[in-house]
Amino acid sequence: DTWRYAFEEAITDVQGVFATKFKEEVEANSDHEIQLFPYGTLGESADIMEQTQAGILQFVNQSPGFTGSLIPEAQVFFVPYLLPTEEEQLNEFFRTSTTINEMFPEIYAEQGLELLAMYPEGEVVMTTKEPVTAPADLNEVKFRVMTNPLLVESYQAFGATPTPLPWGEVYGGLQTNIIQGQENPMFFVESTKMYEVTDHITFAGHNNFTTAIMANKDFFDGLPAEDQEMIEAAIDTAFEYILEYQQGLTEESLARIQEDKPSITVTRLTEEQRAPFMEAAADVEAQFIEMTGESGQKILDQMKADLEAVSD
Ligand code: 6CS
């Protein structure tokens, strides 16, 4: 039989490379086939989630940036400056985190989803039409964010006018100046040519892009144990593969962007410049608790403990 797997990016993007590895593993180790649906073939991110919950798709890769509107606790990934910027520390957090590997699967299950893995997709950078070194530079900037309330709060706290939009409207929105900024990992800025319609790249160190791969829970629960184990093993292989694949990717993508558009500016905020953005993060954390209550508090506390366990 054939299992259908949709994701939010192109086949050569990080989610596509993960999906391709997963497909190879499943097909090498079983009689099942995987049919991959890259971004755009079945609609926007919200559409592929609906199709998975309805059982039309068996697997979906959707980022908390979108899942946060369905599962409020998933917005914890948008508390700025929570995740470490150091790559090995970050990877170890994703491998060992109790929040990710034990708590979130229970919460996702309530929405009919079997959470198989979460993985990082790279440091998020802002790309804008005017340079950004301070929150004041974001004043009056309509800044596109994924459609989740906490990300809206973040950019409000950063001083911008957050504009939640599905991915498909971002390039055109920048081109026509309906929005003047957006954030994403560097590989995606390159592959989607966001740099053509913005002129300045800013590393504020405020986040790393987290994504998640899930299965329809009824489908997964209905599989024989050997298939479930085969899927979990394929996920583990794809997980380690994608971490290795991403080593140096941000720098390589940036180099290609600069080659294609030498006029683009690249700014890494100094610690001093980061300070006001970091201060804003405290408000965002408080908003997260307001939105999610006791359940969110437990997630945040455990996440901090998980991060502490991988620090130094
Ligand atoms: O910004 C977005 O909407 C998209 N960014 C990434 C890196 N992946 C998928 C998502 O749709």
Side-chain angles (χ1 to χ4, degrees), residues 8-9 15 63 66 121 144 146 167 183-185 187-188 209:
E8 306 165 316
E9 298 173 0
Q15 288 183 18
S63 307
F66 295 106
E121 292 196 60
R144 179 270 176 172
M146 290 178 282
W167 175 249
E183 60 157 41
N184 256 307
F187 84 86
F188 205 62
F209 194 99

Side-chain angles (χ1 to χ4, degrees), residues 224-291:
E226 59 171 356
D227 276 344
Q228 293 179 349
E229 283 159 24
M230 179 274 300
I231 288 171
E232 279 161 1
I235 289 286
D236 288 348
T237 301
F239 174 86
E240 288 302 329
Y241 183 80
I242 207 64
L243 296 186
E244 206 177 305
Y245 171 82
Q246 291 184 76
Q247 279 182 23
L249 187 60
T250 295
E251 295 71 24
E252 289 158 24
S253 299
L254 178 58
R256 285 189 292 261
I257 290 170
Q258 287 178 301
E259 198 179 297
D260 202 45
K261 183 171 174 174
S263 67
I264 198 140
T265 78
V266 180
T267 307
R268 288 169 205 271
L269 299 191
T270 62
E271 234 168 273
E272 230 171 46
Q273 289 169 325
R274 282 176 193 204
F277 291 101
M278 287 174 117
E279 269 165 40
D283 287 348
V284 181
E285 189 176 307
Q287 289 282 351
F288 172 70
I289 299 303
E290 205 163 290
M291 283 176 190

Side-chain angles (χ1 to χ4, degrees), residues 112-132:
L113 299 165
E114 176 77 24
L115 178 63
L116 296 169
M118 287 187 172
Y119 59 92
E121 292 196 60
E123 180 169 346
V124 168
V125 295
M126 302 180 190
T127 78
T128 49
K129 298 200 177 208
E130 299 294 334
V132 175

Side-chain angles (χ1 to χ4, degrees), residues 78-271:
F78 297 94
V79 174
Y81 297 100
L82 193 57
L83 294 180
T85 46
E86 204 280 312
E87 195 171 270
E88 199 33 55
Q89 204 174 317
L90 183 78
N91 291 350
E92 201 49 24
F93 162 72
F94 277 92
R95 278 190 198 103
T96 60
S97 166
T98 301
T99 320
I100 289 178
N101 298 301
E102 290 170 33
M103 293 173 84
F104 271 124
E106 285 179 21
I107 298 175
Y108 277 61
E110 288 165 21
Q111 298 298 329
L113 299 165
E114 176 77 24
L115 178 63
L116 296 169
M118 287 187 172
Y119 59 92
E121 292 196 60
E123 180 169 346
V124 168
V125 295
M126 302 180 190
T127 78
T128 49
K129 298 200 177 208
E130 299 294 334
V132 175
T133 55
D137 297 326
L138 289 171
N139 190 19
E140 312 265 295
V141 172
K142 290 204 193 75
F143 199 101
R144 179 270 176 172
V145 292
M146 290 178 282
T147 53
N148 98 54
L150 200 70
L151 199 47
V152 169
E153 293 296 336
S154 287
Y155 271 88
Q156 214 140 36
F158 285 173
T161 304
T163 310
L165 287 175
W167 175 249
E169 291 172 44
V170 182
Y171 190 97
L174 287 164
Q175 206 169 24
T176 55
N177 209 34
I178 287 166
I179 48 173
Q180 295 90 36
Q182 65 92 35
E183 60 157 41
N184 256 307
M186 198 67 80
F187 84 86
F188 205 62
V189 173
E190 183 198 1
S191 69
T192 61
K193 307 224 180 273
M194 280 304 109
Y195 63 91
E196 291 179 350
V197 283
T198 45
D199 302 305
H200 305 277
I201 295 176
T202 306
F203 286 84
H206 66 295
N207 212 356
N208 196 291
F209 194 99
T210 296
T211 198
I213 168 72
M214 311 137 259
N216 172 290
K217 192 164 173 9
D218 287 341
F219 154 75
F220 190 82
D221 288 347
L223 292 173
E226 59 171 356
D227 276 344
Q228 293 179 349
E229 283 159 24
M230 179 274 300
I231 288 171
E232 279 161 1
I235 289 286
D236 288 348
T237 301
F239 174 86
E240 288 302 329
Y241 183 80
I242 207 64
L243 296 186
E244 206 177 305
Y245 171 82
Q246 291 184 76
Q247 279 182 23
L249 187 60
T250 295
E251 295 71 24
E252 289 158 24
S253 299
L254 178 58
R256 285 189 292 261
I257 290 170
Q258 287 178 301
E259 198 179 297
D260 202 45
K261 183 171 174 174
S263 67
I264 198 140
T265 78
V266 180
T267 307
R268 288 169 205 271
L269 299 191
T270 62
E271 234 168 273

